[in-house]
Amino acid sequence: HLARSIWPDYDDAHTILAEWAIADSDYKRAQEQLQRVPETSAIYLRKRLFQLSIAEQTNQIDTMLQSLEAEFAKADDAKADQIGREEYGILAQTSGDILRRNYQCERAIDYYQRAFSYGMSSAGLYRNIGICFEQTGQSKKAEKNLLTSISLNPEDSIALNYLGYWWADEGRKLDKAITLIQKAVNLNPNSGYYADSLGWVYYR
């Protein structure tokens, strides 16, 4: 607060105060701080990511996503672009992750595809859209994206375990499934989930 009183344009002070408030589950106070960060601020993306986190914690996901739609619409208009296409991609991917965690994979896919259209291409993005394709019965797309994720990051234990367990569950490609899950276990030897997957694939 003292820093802000000395330097009125020090927007980081608001996001720091908001972060502390979120840690204390004081979401009202956090929102009050974030509202003071203008759209023209260099840390506007951080503000939006914090707001997405609050929306997930307070079950206000739809309201928050509606407020982002106008900003996503700007991504195709360079003159109106305030935060850059890459940062729009981060917002879209984060929105997709929130929907996926809340069992809304069909909607999450739309946001992941939007992230791709903004130039995102991380292993995590391929993995998460692959998971959502699998959850919505789009097997070919799921497998393709999960394999792409593993090719980009061969040590992504989540993707290794997910694909291996899926193959094992369906009783196919079991030798490859064992290899994937063994690697996941080696990367995270204390994970009960991965040990369970390894037992299951051996059983199958």
Side-chain angles (χ1 to χ4, degrees):
H1 286 293
L2 177 61
R4 180 70 180 181
S5 69
I6 296 169
W7 182 11
D9 293 330
Y10 183 49
D11 295 328
D12 288 271
H14 291 309
T15 58
I16 292 168
L17 289 167
E19 187 173 11
W20 291 344
I22 291 170
D24 288 335
S25 299
D26 189 347
Y27 302 119
K28 181 179 179 181
R29 181 177 171 221
Q31 287 284 32
E32 289 172 353
Q33 292 295 331
L34 293 172
Q35 289 296 335
R36 299 179 185 179
V37 178
E39 185 176 351
T40 55
S41 173
I43 60 168
Y44 184 70
L45 172 64
R46 194 188 315 171
K47 164 187 173 174
R48 284 313 222 173
L49 292 174
F50 277 136
Q51 288 178 324
L52 278 167
S53 176
I54 293 170
E56 183 174 17
Q57 296 300 319
T58 58
N59 297 315
Q60 298 292 323
I61 299 171
D62 288 342
T63 301
M64 182 61 197
L65 292 179
Q66 287 174 5
S67 76
L68 288 176
E69 283 303 318
E71 294 180 41
F72 286 135
K74 296 176 183 178
D76 296 324
D77 185 349
K79 293 181 180 179
D81 188 347
Q82 294 290 333
I83 61 174
R85 288 178 62 81
E86 181 178 351
E87 293 184 330
Y88 281 117
I90 294 171
L91 278 178
Q93 181 174 348
T94 303
S95 300
D97 288 343
I98 289 173
L99 290 167
R100 176 180 54 80
R101 287 194 295 267
N102 286 272
Y103 309 102
Q104 299 185 53
C105 268
E106 287 189 6
R107 294 180 65 195
I109 288 170
D110 292 337
Y111 284 92
Y112 288 142
Q113 290 176 331
R114 179 174 274 170
F116 279 121
S117 74
Y118 296 154
M120 300 291 289
S121 61
S122 67
L125 178 54
Y126 280 105
R127 178 229 301 150
N128 291 342
I129 196 172
I131 289 172
C132 280
F133 279 135
E134 190 275 328
Q135 291 289 314
T136 55
Q138 302 179 68
S139 298
K140 290 183 178 179
K141 290 181 179 179
E143 193 166 296
K144 178 182 177 181
N145 280 278
L146 287 166
L147 288 170
T148 299
S149 172
I150 293 169
S151 70
L152 291 173
N153 181 10
E155 296 190 347
D156 184 345
S157 58
I158 297 174
L160 292 166
N161 181 71
Y162 195 96
L163 183 57
Y165 186 90
W166 176 28
W167 281 345
D169 214 34
E170 294 189 346
R172 60 190 180 94
K173 301 184 180 182
L174 294 179
D175 290 340
K176 291 182 179 179
I178 288 173
T179 300
L180 294 178
I181 297 174
Q182 282 177 331
K183 187 169 184 179
V185 170
N186 289 336
L187 289 166
N188 292 274
N190 295 321
S191 171
Y193 290 107
Y194 299 167
D196 176 82
S197 296
L198 189 58
W200 179 237
V201 71
Y202 278 135
Y203 174 79
R204 295 291 285 172

